[in-house]
């Protein structure tokens, strides 16, 4: 199994949406195992009802979810760590500095990995590690973007339409991620 860890703050909105939507977008039999955690999560809390409703509306499975706090062990055990905002990527790197080349924001990784290929199609040949390495190599040479372009805003306390917009933004990014990972040969 190739573990992809999504990180947000509370692990009740953004990261669980990314985890469950990626699981729904991967091909059957995929070797990718999406997971999630939060920098300030309260372990054993469930997904918020509004988040579950939006997730299920978009085709994800909301059952059996339990929030968990981000730990060094989770970061070191993941093949790829994707924060939903730059602060989450930085928190993962602080916990496990050796994982820096595998830590990105979700939108940053998709942008860099697609750029390594020259578009939105499958990522570099050579498997999952090659896709991650290509994205890491582009980090220092790709044109920097404003933080807002790599971050997905926290919908906590916002109206349902804002949560739905957040979920749609995440779904677009994880759909592109699924295509990149499927093209790396790790999809099956």
């Amino acid at each position: 199994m190739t573990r992809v860890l999504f990180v947000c703050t509370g692990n009740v909105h953004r990261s669980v949406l990314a985890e469950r939507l990626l699981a729904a977008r991967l091909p059957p039999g995929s070797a990718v195992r999406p997971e999630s955690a939060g920098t300030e999560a309260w372990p054993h809390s469930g997904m918020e009802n509004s988040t579950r409703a939006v997730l299920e509306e978009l085709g994800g499975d909301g059952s059996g979810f339990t929030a968990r706090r981000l730990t060094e062990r989770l970061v070191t055990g993941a093949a790829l760590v994707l924060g939903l905002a730059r602060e989450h990527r930085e928190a993962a790197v602080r916990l496990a500095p050796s994982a820096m080349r595998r830590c990105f924001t979700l939108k940053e990784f998709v942008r860099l990995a697609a750029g390594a290929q020259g578009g939105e199609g499958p990522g570099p040949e050579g498997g999952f590690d090659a896709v991650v390495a290509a994205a890491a190599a582009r980090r220092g040479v790709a044109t920097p973007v404003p933080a807002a372009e790599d971050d997905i805003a926290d919908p906590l306390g916002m109206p349902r339409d804002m949560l739905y917009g957040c979920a749609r933004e995440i779904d677009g990014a994880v759909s592109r991620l699924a295509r990149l990972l499927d093209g790396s040969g790790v999809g099956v």
Side-chain angles (χ1 to χ4, degrees):
M1 281 295 188
T2 302
R3 291 179 47 232
V4 175
L5 178 67
F6 294 99
V7 181
C8 73
T9 305
N11 193 209
V12 292
H13 293 297
R14 293 173 289 177
S15 60
V16 68
L17 285 166
E19 170 193 342
R20 297 301 176 96
L21 288 170
L22 178 59
R25 304 303 177 246
L26 290 168
S30 175
V32 174
R33 180 178 169 196
E35 299 180 349
S36 64
T39 58
E40 298 177 23
W42 292 27
H44 308 296
S45 63
M47 187 185 319
E48 299 237 344
N49 290 335
S50 57
T51 301
R52 178 185 307 273
V54 167
L55 170 67
E56 291 174 352
E57 187 176 328
L58 293 174
D61 180 3
S63 65
F65 176 76
T66 302
R68 62 184 177 168
R69 187 175 290 267
L70 182 67
T71 65
E72 177 185 3
R73 183 175 180 199
L74 289 173
V75 174
T76 59
L80 180 61
V81 179
L82 299 172
L84 278 291
R86 288 181 177 192
E87 68 188 83
H88 306 124
R89 177 194 64 205
E90 292 162 6
V93 171
R94 279 193 304 276
L95 285 172
S98 64
M100 185 171 75
R101 293 188 58 78
R102 297 181 283 116
C103 295
F104 303 83
T105 69
L106 169 60
K107 290 170 67 176
E108 172 192 30
F109 182 77
V110 169
R111 177 173 45 81
L112 294 174
Q117 178 64 21
E120 291 291 320
E125 301 280 329
F128 183 89
D129 292 339
V131 174
V132 175
R138 285 192 40 80
R139 186 183 277 154
V141 295
T143 304
V145 299
E149 288 188 34
D150 279 341
D151 291 355
I152 295 176
D154 190 352
L156 180 66
M158 302 302 268
R160 185 189 188 284
D161 63 323
M162 299 295 284
L163 173 61
Y164 186 77
C166 173
R168 296 285 304 175
E169 183 177 12
I170 290 168
D171 192 28
V174 299
S175 293
R176 290 188 301 276
L177 176 63
R179 287 191 299 274
L180 288 163
L181 296 181
D182 187 41
S184 75
V186 78
V188 290

